[in-house]
Amino acid sequence: MNSSGKKTNYLNASHTLSSWFLTVDHKRIAILYLITISIFFFIGGLFAALIRLELLTPAGDLFKSDEYNKLFTLHGIVMIFFFLIPSVPAVLGNFLIPIMIGAKDLAFPRINLLSWYIYVIGATLATLAIMVGGVDTGWTFYTPYSTVYSNGAVALTIVGAFITGFSSILTGLNFLVTIHKMRAPGMTWFRLPLFVWAHYATSLIMVLATPVLASALFLLFLERVFHIGIFNPALGGDPVLFQHLFWFYSHPAVYIMILPSMGVMSELFAAFSRKRIFGYEFVACSSLAIAILGFFVWGHHMFVSGQSMYAGMVFSVLSFLVAIPSAVKAFNWSATLYKGSISYETPMLYAFGFIGLFTIGGLTGLFLSTMAVDVHVHDTYFVVAHFHYIMVGGVLMGYLGGLHYWWPKITGRLYPEAWAKLSALLVFVGFNLTFFPQFLLGYMGMPRRYHMYPEEFQVLNVCSSLGASVLGIGYFLPLVYFLWSLKFGKESPANPWGAKGLEWEIQSPPTTHNFDEIPVVTEEAYAYAKEDGKHHG
Amino acid sequence: MAKTSDKKSPLQHHFVHLNQQYDASQMGMWAFLITEILFFGALFTAYIVYRLMYPAAFGAASSHLDITLGAFNTAVLIASSLTMALAVHAGHTGSTRGIIKNLIWTIVLGSVFLGVKAIEYSHKFHEHLVPGPSFSFPLYPGAGSELFFSLYFAMTGLHAFHMVIGIIGLFILIGMAAKGRFNQEYSTPVEMMGLYWHFVDIVWIFLFPLLYLVLRHH
Ligand SMILES: [Cu+2]
């Protein structure tokens, strides 16, 4: 008990600054991540807003070409490296994985804190690069433009991205070891919540793919700073080699972003249908299948880069295969709904939104992995729309859905349901209004990365900018009511949703050590009573 | 021998028992080494691609590396792996003196390696074989030779950096050993450092033949 007579929890256990900045508690580190990545989300969002503002009219009236180049580059770098990659794993994964498997912390608590500091250092350097001149290479840093011709602060940005990569590697490593070695007695692999399975697959990618990006950026840095030839064709280098190394990480990186959100989805569909996930084992293994297949498809980014046609054909077929485990998930979530007792709280609205957006994003991915179609729509807004449906539609629906679902556990407070439902609706409508017109624009031939366009594209661009405003409000609302709920929200009981899982069996917010005694697990995940789910006998 | 070893138990609060903690450390270290393999792997990939593109240039450039110094360094590094392994063994038998003695030998051998590497680098510098604007290689003026030296410096430089990190780690271990932190039941950090050190050695075992030996012109 503390002075106010309330139960001690990880939040009120101590109040000093050093108890936060030197904490090794995975839950406090999750909060540190939550605050920092939110800042970067709104910085990245600001760049997006400026882009949409410029594209309101066909003429380039707000920015010059090179300023616009910097805008979309910074939007991409900030959103991908400093928001999407850490989002679900670093915040929700950090907070929940130890609790879900019945452990007191991650295997390496100090390394967990270190990875936050590494993230902050990397992100700060990149922010510095923005202030001293920005970068205009696109987030892909293609050579030789990035190493020889670009005038921006390329080297500093690369160092920032390089350093941040190690934060991701250490997080993944920590999760892998934790899931292997820290499970409570009785918590067998096939009793793990699917959220944990998804993070296991994600961690594999973080650990295996990120070092290759680090290496590619290291070589890029040497070439840029010391003017030596590695990828520069003028000195005999091969720029396509850089693209291979870059996409060897950056395609799997899409799964670093989406798999954790899929993990959130499994939790939400089970909790709000009050049923065990249909085909649990298949959903678990499909995460692994996506992670493994994802390593062999990177060449679909290089169909027009001078890669051999036969390599292109193999990459094309392999890319199609990723659709299978992805569809397994979408079908199994839908089947989970069947005869469940469904309720429509905010997290479930996000879950439904996820299915819709992810399906569109996934199916258009099949268009793009077809070589002939890709040659037609390559580097158009069709591609932009496709990856936003996955990386923003998919990932952010999962992140926000998860944040709402576990908010009562994390903070001990309930958020205002009506406002939250409104924001979920705004996000869904705003998102589609923003990005669906971009499919049409791309198909009609509007290229990406230009700040001017022919007049006939204006109507769709205005739709898109309008949608972005709605989306912006949809994203801003949670910031307001989440902060509001910290002081004024109703106090949450241990299990406000009546959901299954170890995290709902401990108090909200949890104590510093999560469990007074390590629990013994005796049942499978999502063991909702049969009559609860209106099952046939 | 450890005098104050029971003052502070090495078991951290979130583990149930020492075995679990040991297993976690070991798995973590192996996972880390796998990330290192991939990190170096990208460089080896670049090496393979460019060697296939420019076999003649790579051969000519390769013959400008000092094979005697390279072979000497290989022997030094293998010897340091032996002393590292002896330190780990001393950890298992609980001999703090054995740990410290062997770690010091490992540091000495590691430093000899770095010293020889520095001599090699300075030779290259005088021969204008450092890539960049001042690079010149009259023996084979076409494209490819500069790429070889770019990769030579990137790969051996990264390897040397790992050795420096390793040596810093060894000093920290000596400090821990002197404080009596290790005993027969607990010498995990020495063992983990051993894994790292052997890994860095193995990287060199691949670098030496690829850079110094194969395609060498006689
Ligand atoms: Cu891809």
Side-chain angles (χ1 to χ4, degrees), chain A residues 247 250-251 254 297-298 300-301:
Chain A
W247 289 112
S250 294
H251 180 82
V254 175
V297 303
W298 77 87
H300 62 216
H301 295 270

Side-chain angles (χ1 to χ4, degrees), chain A residues 29 48 134 231 372 432 442 456:
Chain A
I29 295 170
F231 303 117
N432 281 299
E456 67 253 38

Side-chain angles (χ1 to χ4, degrees), chain A residues 232-237, chain B residues 50 53-58 140-148:
Chain A
N232 183 359
L235 296 167
Chain B
Y50 288 137
M53 276 168 84
Y54 305 108
F58 267 49
Y140 197 94
S145 51
E146 188 175 351
L147 282 176
F148 177 87

Side-chain angles (χ1 to χ4, degrees), chain A residues 412-416 481 483-492:
Chain A
R413 300 284 181 160
L414 299 175
Y415 59 82
Y481 62 71
L483 288 176
W484 177 88
S485 77
L486 290 180
K487 197 153 173 59
F488 305 105
K490 262 194 271 174
E491 280 189 35
S492 165

Side-chain angles (χ1 to χ4, degrees), chain A residues 24 104-110 162 166 169-170 173 176-177 180-183 207-209 211-212 214-216 218-219 222 226-231 235-239 241 245 248 513 518, chain B residues 12-16 20-21 23-29 31-32 34-36 38-43 45-46 49-50 53-54 130-133 143-144 146-147 150-151 153-155 157-158:
Chain A
V24 288
K104 292 187 172 181
D105 207 322
L106 289 172
F108 308 115
R110 275 178 298 182
F162 177 88
F166 286 93
I169 291 173
L170 292 179
L173 192 148
L176 282 183
V177 176
H180 267 275
K181 301 293 180 194
M182 307 289 285
R183 282 172 288 126
V207 165
L208 295 177
V212 177
S215 213
F218 167 64
L219 291 173
L222 293 182
F226 299 108
H227 306 290
I228 64 174
I230 290 174
F231 303 117
L235 296 167
D238 182 2
L241 177 64
L245 295 177
F248 183 85
H513 297 306
I518 296 293
Chain B
Q12 292 174 273
H13 83 277
H14 58 297
F15 289 109
V16 179
Q20 187 192 26
Q21 179 173 315
D23 284 352
S25 302
Q26 200 177 38
M27 188 189 162
M29 197 62 204
F32 174 71
I34 290 170
T35 72
E36 290 276 24
L38 281 141
F39 191 54
F40 279 99
L43 292 167
T45 307
V49 168
Y50 288 137
M53 276 168 84
Y54 305 108
V130 177
E146 188 175 351
L147 282 176
S150 294
L151 287 170
F153 279 102
M155 294 168 102
L158 198 63

Side-chain angles (χ1 to χ4, degrees), chain A residues 134-207:
Chain A
V135 206
D136 63 351
T137 58
W139 80 282
T140 49
F141 303 117
Y142 271 14
T143 55
Y145 181 73
S146 59
T147 51
V148 183
Y149 304 106
S150 168
N151 291 319
V154 179
L156 197 55
T157 315
I158 290 172
V159 173
F162 177 88
I163 291 175
T164 311
F166 286 93
S167 148
S168 187
I169 291 173
L170 292 179
T171 302
L173 192 148
N174 220 337
F175 286 175
L176 282 183
V177 176
T178 304
I179 296 168
H180 267 275
K181 301 293 180 194
M182 307 289 285
R183 282 172 288 126
M187 181 56 92
T188 59
W189 282 92
F190 282 110
R191 280 180 180 168
L192 286 173
L194 289 165
F195 180 85
V196 178
W197 269 104
H199 277 79
Y200 184 81
T202 309
S203 305
L204 282 178
I205 307 175
M206 286 171 156
V207 165

Side-chain angles (χ1 to χ4, degrees), chain A residues 240-274:
Chain A
V240 179
L241 177 64
F242 174 76
Q243 297 181 22
H244 277 292
L245 295 177
F246 179 82
W247 289 112
F248 183 85
Y249 165 77
S250 294
H251 180 82
V254 175
Y255 303 130
I256 296 180
M257 303 175 216
I258 195 76
L259 277 170
S261 272
M262 291 171 152
V264 172
M265 284 306 122
S266 296
E267 300 303 314
L268 299 185
F269 278 109
F272 295 96
S273 311
R274 320 207 54 74

